[in-house]
Amino acid sequence: MFNGDYAVVFYDIDHFKNINDKYGHNCGDAVLKSFAGILKNLTRKEDVIARYGGEEFIALINYQDEIEVERYVKRVKKALSNSNFIYKEANIKLKFSAGVTYRNKYNSFQEAKKRADELLYEAKHKGRDRIILDNGTEI
């Protein structure tokens, strides 16, 4: 299914707890479904996208050139920034942070996944609403 040339992308919705606290868990569930739908629509059928837990999602993205992965995460960021989530009377602007690794730079999938998670938390620590790739690129 996958060779060594795939990226691991860890997504986390920024300030998700605030959405749950302010608008309720039904709204939070709707936001998760909407975010998942955007990811599904922008991710090719041969790639993998899954909810990892809470408000985190993970994607495994095949690529031939690393720029393809950058373009993919930029499309996700643009699609989300152009979307308004309406729940009852609330108009919610969603943002996310992400960490991206290229599997072939690591000894195992577990190492690549761990590093993608570390990059995700670095993105959160730097102020959220950003994507950090393991080649040093920040989007």
Side-chain angles (χ1 to χ4, degrees):
M1 177 174 145
F2 284 89
N3 60 25
D5 291 336
Y6 66 90
V8 179
V9 184
F10 247 120
Y11 294 101
D12 189 282
I13 300 172
D14 292 335
H15 303 293
F16 183 74
K17 183 182 180 318
N18 293 350
I19 294 169
N20 269 339
D21 290 348
K22 185 172 183 180
Y23 303 108
H25 289 276
N26 287 341
C27 177
D29 289 348
V31 163
L32 288 172
K33 286 177 187 170
S34 295
F35 186 70
I38 287 172
L39 292 179
K40 183 179 178 192
N41 288 338
L42 294 174
T43 305
R44 299 170 301 201
K45 288 182 181 15
E46 65 268 20
D47 296 328
V48 176
I49 186 81
R51 186 170 174 196
Y52 194 75
E55 69 277 10
E56 288 186 339
F57 292 82
I58 191 168
L60 305 179
I61 307 298
N62 277 293
Y63 68 90
Q64 293 190 346
D65 189 314
E66 289 183 8
I67 193 72
E68 294 173 55
V69 177
E70 278 188 47
R71 288 181 182 138
Y72 162 73
V73 293
K74 284 179 180 177
R75 281 193 304 273
V76 173
K77 189 172 177 75
K78 183 176 181 181
L80 209 61
S81 69
N82 291 336
S83 298
N84 286 324
F85 294 85
I86 310 296
Y87 184 79
K88 298 185 178 176
E89 277 79 57
N91 185 358
I92 301 166
K93 247 337 204 183
L94 278 188
K95 295 184 178 179
F96 70 90
S97 300
V100 180
T101 56
Y102 297 97
R103 165 61 185 94
N104 62 359
K105 295 180 181 178
Y106 300 86
N107 292 323
S108 68
F109 167 74
Q110 296 300 340
E111 283 183 23
K113 182 178 71 126
K114 181 178 185 281
R115 183 64 182 137
D117 194 35
E118 291 168 357
L119 291 170
L120 163 64
Y121 281 93
E122 183 181 331
K124 292 227 171 248
H125 180 74
K126 287 185 169 183
R128 295 181 167 86
D129 190 25
R130 72 187 67 224
I131 303 162
I132 301 180
L133 292 84
D134 69 358
N135 64 11
T137 303
E138 285 193 32
I139 299 168

